[in-house]
Amino acid sequence: MSENLKLVEYTKPIAPPVNSIGALEWLKKNLFNNWFNSVLTIVSAIVLYLVVTNALYWVFIEAQWAVISNNYKLFMVGQYPVSELWRVWVALLFASLLFGMSSGVWKGTMIRIASILTLIYLLHIIVPFTATESKVWLSAQIGVLIFGYFLGSFLPKAKWITLIGWFFVIPVSILLLRGFGIGAFPLVRTNLWNGLLLTILISIVAIVLSMPIGVLLALGRTSKLPAIKYFCISYIELIRGIPLITILFMAQIIVPLFLPPGMAIDNVVRVMIGATLFTSAYMAENVRGGLQSIPKGQYEAAKTIGLNPVQTTTFIILPQALRAIIPTIVGQSISMFKDTTLVAIVGLVDLLGIAQSVKSNPDFLGRHMEVYIFIAFVYWVIAYTMSYSSRRLEKSLGVGER
Amino acid sequence: MAQSQVKIVEDPAVQEGEAIITCTNVNKWFGDMHVLKDVNLNITKGEVLVILGPSGSGKSTFIRTINGLEEIQKGDIEIDGVTLSHDIKAVEAIRKDTGMVFQQFNLFPHMTILKNIMLAPIWVRKKPKKEAEKLAMELLERVGIPEQADKYPGQLSGGQQQRVAIARALAMQPEIMLFDEPTSALDPEMIKEVLDVMKELARSGITMIVVTHEMGFAREVADRIVLFDNGEIIEMGTPVELFDNPQHDRTKLFLSQIL
Ligand SMILES: Nc1ncnc2c1ncn2[C@@H]1O[C@H](COP(=O)(O)OP(=O)(O)O)[C@@H](O)[C@H]1O
Ligand SMILES: [Mg+2]
């Protein structure tokens, strides 16, 4: 009887030992475990202290941020006419709605992205220099985003509606921004599209279009038809051998050659085409890497269950290949986003271009530090959000696990 | 040598019943390497044929030629009256009638078990989704793992994955099932569960060609065993004939090594 009791006691689950060490002990173990590390720790602490205090002093005391707040509209949308600004807000409403719906449909990573966006809107509402009208629009963005979340969660077929929405958001926004030259939509020429608006439009167009083109080029490269195969190889190798700046210059000269006489193409569109053609070649190489990572057995299994080559590629090979290269695709997108700064050279005024003109405004002489730090911060927030989302996405899709 | 092969083809056991696969003088080279040398073999409907032989003797290559995964350079393979040729349509038609199970399972890792099985019925057989799902669940019941339907292949044990692979092949409702060492990549304790599924299949009357090293299975289930060596069929017969009274020296050598 007593032995039985003992047995029961032994089989009780035992919690794993808690690995707790005090703060002092942690310091000792990690920072002061020998004389060399102790010296390193102390030196780094001093350097860190000087950098942080000086940086904080500069940011909060010395810097004059009026150069940013007074020119905020310029940084965001450049010379886009104030009377037509509502169109930018409406385009953004569309995007906010989709971000909201996506977070309702897919939850997880999308909720985080939507939260970051909401946070950015909120910050803009809180800071004192935002115009009242803008605050109303910003609140509307948040409202639409939350509404989108509930739509995405509860609407039947929300997934499909959201996907279709994403498909149309860019063309619709571009049309809306440009206008039709009638009634409430007078034409806004693209030379007035500047600042962050231009940066984002060029990057998104180049990134989004380069994916399907890159996939086609990568598949074409493996084609059995020599004409297609060598066309793709030449294209990829040619573009990868030329700097983006050169391509942007060439887009100015070469693209018009392919157009019927008398038809002019807008400068911004030409740059978008140039950037897309450039990124596509790199996307193609990324996709090729993904395709090569698929074991031969997958092709064979698909064949033996009777799938034809097109079905095999669409259902079996591409989904796995693209999943495997999410990190590279996002890396590529981030560098494209940052490379848009080069468009200044062919006469477009992107975020960096606006920074250049703002800092040479006599009213804000000597404030270049503030200007550059601000735009660096904007680039960083966007680029970091992308890489953060990609890491989350990788995790949730289980990339790297088979 | 060629003489003895002609004799094999004329073996009365092969002639009875209706031949579903006819291989005549099948030859295959990889570069300069002659891996299949004048292989002649008829397989009857409903027969379970086990292929034995040392590693590198051409067993995999041979069964892969039957569903066109490998092209042959000389000879003829006729399946259900259709000759395998370079014509991709003929090959695709034959693939719809043959299922294949690989040593490495080759499940699609990005799809759930159920989706793996439903894919071919939906896209190749053009079945409605509901019907394909019902069929997939029935097949999962048949291989004994209906509760795994919504998991991904990576979450299953090797034995379970191989059973899913069998279900996926069966979903095309093939007349012929090809197995290339289906248990060789499995831990010992999982071999039985896969062999049990295969035995049940054999009893159901489907035509099976099985490359394996499982002698117990061969003895119990095979209607006929062929022994490959160096790209040739060197001996053929019922399990009793082959195991208890092997004729060829190389057969004896092989059996002494493996038993
Ligand atoms: N794709 C290939 N390319 C070149 N040689 C191959 C290929 N596949 C198999 N072989 C060779 O063909 C011979 C027969 O191989 P295989 O049919 O796999 O034998 P088994 O399955 O009996 O072990 C081996 O020598 C092997 O190295
Ligand atoms: Mg083999």
Side-chain angles (χ1 to χ4, degrees):
Chain A
M1 189 65 211
S2 63
E3 264 182 24
N4 269 347
L5 269 175
K6 240 185 198 165
L7 229 164
V8 171
E9 262 177 2
Y10 276 126
T11 50
K12 249 203 216 154
I14 305 166
V18 186
N19 221 340
S20 68
I21 48 171
L24 263 180
E25 220 168 313
W26 184 90
L27 282 178
K28 203 170 155 196
K29 198 172 152 208
N30 290 289
L31 298 174
F32 297 98
N33 50 357
N34 61 38
W35 69 267
F36 180 70
N37 278 355
S38 308
V39 170
L40 260 182
T41 303
I42 291 169
V43 171
S44 332
I46 293 172
V47 171
L48 202 67
Y49 173 77
L50 289 177
V51 169
V52 169
T53 49
N54 281 327
L56 287 179
Y57 182 77
W58 185 85
V59 167
F60 288 107
I61 313 267
E62 221 168 274
Q64 297 178 13
W65 293 110
V67 64
I68 306 301
S69 50
N70 288 3
N71 294 306
Y72 208 80
K73 185 240 161 194
L74 269 185
F75 281 112
M76 292 300 118
V77 294
Q79 307 169 65
Y80 201 91
V82 177
S83 59
E84 302 303 321
L85 267 186
W86 63 271
R87 295 198 222 164
V88 180
W89 286 116
V90 170
L92 194 59
L93 276 180
F94 190 4
S96 299
L97 180 72
L98 288 174
F99 273 110
M101 287 179 71
S102 305
S103 59
V105 172
W106 289 288
K107 307 279 191 294
T109 311
M110 284 314 300
I111 290 189
R112 297 192 177 231
I113 298 177
S115 311
I116 295 176
L117 199 61
T118 312
L119 199 71
I120 293 174
Y121 290 148
L122 271 178
L123 271 176
H124 282 87
I125 295 176
I126 291 168
V127 292
F129 62 81
T130 311
T132 317
E133 199 191 329
S134 304
K135 286 189 181 179
V136 173
W137 278 113
L138 284 163
S139 316
Q141 304 289 347
I142 297 180
V144 160
L145 205 146
I146 294 170
F147 175 66
Y149 174 81
F150 288 109
L151 271 189
S153 307
F154 300 116
L155 205 66
K157 304 224 179 212
K159 189 171 156 191
W160 289 108
I161 298 172
T162 311
L163 284 175
I164 293 170
W166 279 119
F167 188 80
F168 283 109
V169 66
I170 299 165
V172 166
S173 299
I174 288 181
L175 276 181
L176 185 65
L177 293 176
R178 183 177 167 279
F180 315 97
I182 40 165
F185 300 92
L187 214 62
V188 178
R189 302 195 65 82
T190 53
N191 57 347
L192 302 180
W193 304 14
N194 320 127
L196 186 62
L197 176 70
L198 183 67
T199 296
I200 287 181
L201 282 180
I202 294 176
S203 334
I204 290 185
V205 168
I207 291 164
V208 169
L209 291 184
S210 72
M211 284 198 224
I213 299 178
V215 167
L216 288 181
L217 282 170
L219 292 175
R221 210 180 164 145
T222 63
S223 165
K224 285 200 188 78
L225 304 172
I228 294 179
K229 179 174 174 180
Y230 289 107
F231 169 79
C232 293
I233 294 184
S234 328
Y235 177 85
I236 294 168
E237 296 306 333
L238 186 72
I239 297 283
R240 294 203 319 146
I242 305 176
L244 177 57
I245 299 202
T246 317
I247 289 179
L248 293 180
F249 273 125
M250 291 203 312
Q252 304 289 311
I253 301 158
I254 294 180
V255 172
L257 293 185
F258 289 101
L259 296 172
M263 184 178 162
I265 267 205
D266 189 282
N267 205 355
V268 168
V269 176
R270 269 182 279 178
V271 163
M272 283 174 173
I273 293 175
T276 304
L277 295 182
F278 177 80
T279 315
S280 304
Y282 288 87
M283 282 297 178
E285 282 303 273
N286 295 339
V287 175
R288 184 164 76 116
L291 292 177
Q292 279 170 345
S293 73
I294 309 299
K296 194 164 145 249
Q298 293 288 305
Y299 290 91
E300 292 185 344
K303 264 189 200 170
T304 55
I305 60 169
L307 297 184
N308 64 34
V310 175
Q311 292 168 334
T312 304
T313 307
T314 9
F315 300 134
I316 311 297
I317 306 303
L318 269 185
Q320 294 185 63
L322 292 181
R323 219 170 269 219
I325 59 166
I326 288 175
T328 11
I329 291 182
V330 175
Q332 186 68 49
S333 307
I334 292 177
S335 40
M336 184 65 240
F337 168 67
K338 292 184 296 184
D339 283 349
T340 52
T341 44
L342 291 173
V343 302
I345 291 178
V346 291
L348 301 192
V349 190
D350 69 330
L351 185 56
L352 183 64
I354 291 285
Q356 304 281 25
S357 63
V358 164
K359 85 177 196 323
S360 46
N361 179 341
D363 289 351
F364 300 103
L365 230 43
R367 297 272 72 88
H368 49 267
M369 190 74 163
E370 286 84 347
V371 170
Y372 285 133
I373 292 215
F374 171 69
I375 67 161
F377 180 69
V378 174
Y379 280 115
W380 178 81
V381 167
I382 296 175
Y384 185 75
T385 307
M386 286 201 254
S387 82
Y388 170 80
S389 327
S390 120
R391 254 176 296 135
R392 300 256 336 163
L393 198 65
E394 271 166 56
K395 244 197 225 144
S396 60
L397 288 175
V399 176
E401 297 158 29
R402 283 193 72 79
Chain B
M1 192 78 244
Q3 281 264 302
S4 73
Q5 272 168 356
V6 173
K7 243 176 85 192
I8 287 167
V9 176
E10 285 167 355
D11 189 310
V14 183
Q15 295 299 336
E16 80 185 41
E18 163 195 359
I20 188 167
I21 304 173
T22 320
C23 302
T24 324
N25 294 326
V26 169
N27 278 276
K28 162 96 192 160
W29 286 264
F30 282 119
D32 285 340
M33 195 179 14
H34 200 173
V35 285
L36 294 179
K37 302 169 186 166
D38 274 329
V39 175
N40 287 289
L41 187 63
N42 287 359
I43 295 147
T44 350
K45 216 176 182 120
E47 182 175 6
V48 177
L49 179 85
V50 166
I51 300 180
L52 301 178
S55 171
S57 58
K59 309 179 298 292
S60 298
T61 308
F62 175 67
I63 102 171
R64 288 157 62 87
T65 60
I66 291 175
N67 65 357
L69 278 183
E70 302 283 359
E71 267 186 28
I72 59 174
Q73 278 98 19
K74 203 164 144 243
D76 276 311
I77 299 177
E78 204 182 289
I79 293 169
D80 236 355
V82 183
T83 306
L84 256 182
S85 60
H86 301 297
D87 179 17
I88 193 80
K89 283 273 168 288
V91 176
E92 275 177 11
I94 282 166
R95 281 195 190 127
K96 289 178 194 176
D97 282 336
T98 54
M100 178 148 185
V101 175
F102 301 86
Q103 187 176 342
Q104 298 298 341
F105 330 137
N106 294 345
L107 294 178
F108 306 129
H110 60 302
M111 294 178 183
T112 62
I113 299 307
L114 202 64
K115 291 265 159 61
N116 262 276
I117 303 175
M118 287 163 62
L119 195 64
I122 290 180
W123 292 99
V124 183
R125 292 274 186 239
K126 313 284 182 206
K127 280 196 191 335
K129 203 169 157 217
K130 278 264 169 302
E131 211 175 296
E133 190 172 329
K134 190 165 155 269
L135 172 70
M137 280 316 295
E138 281 167 11
L139 287 168
L140 280 178
E141 299 270 0
R142 189 163 168 196
V143 299
I145 38 175
E147 73 283 359
Q148 310 289 348
D150 294 320
K151 289 197 185 157
Y152 285 86
Q155 299 169 302
L156 268 56
S157 74
Q160 292 173 326
Q161 288 192 51
Q162 193 61 297
R163 286 190 277 163
V164 173
I166 294 174
R168 182 178 67 178
L170 289 174
M172 285 296 289
Q173 291 160 326
E175 291 189 50
I176 303 163
M177 284 284 285
L178 309 173
F179 294 84
D180 190 1
E181 301 200 28
T183 57
S184 297
L186 297 178
D187 292 336
E189 74 271 18
M190 295 171 185
I191 291 179
K192 186 175 173 293
E193 64 189 54
V194 172
L195 290 181
D196 284 346
V197 170
M198 290 170 62
K199 283 177 197 165
E200 187 267 324
L201 260 184
R203 279 193 295 273
S204 79
I206 197 166
T207 311
M208 285 167 64
I209 305 183
V210 186
V211 175
T212 185
H213 295 296
E214 294 296 325
M215 295 302 147
F217 175 83
R219 196 184 267 276
E220 185 187 333
V221 183
D223 294 316
R224 202 156 46 122
I225 296 177
V226 296
L227 200 118
F228 261 72
D229 192 12
N230 202 13
E232 298 171 299
I233 295 181
I234 52 172
E235 192 159 349
M236 184 183 314
T238 62
V240 175
E241 285 166 1
L242 207 96
F243 284 122
D244 301 340
N245 189 16
Q247 301 296 310
H248 204 291
D249 284 344
R250 282 194 278 174
T251 313
K252 287 177 195 160
L253 182 67
F254 175 75
L255 291 175
S256 73
Q257 281 164 346
I258 203 143
L259 288 176

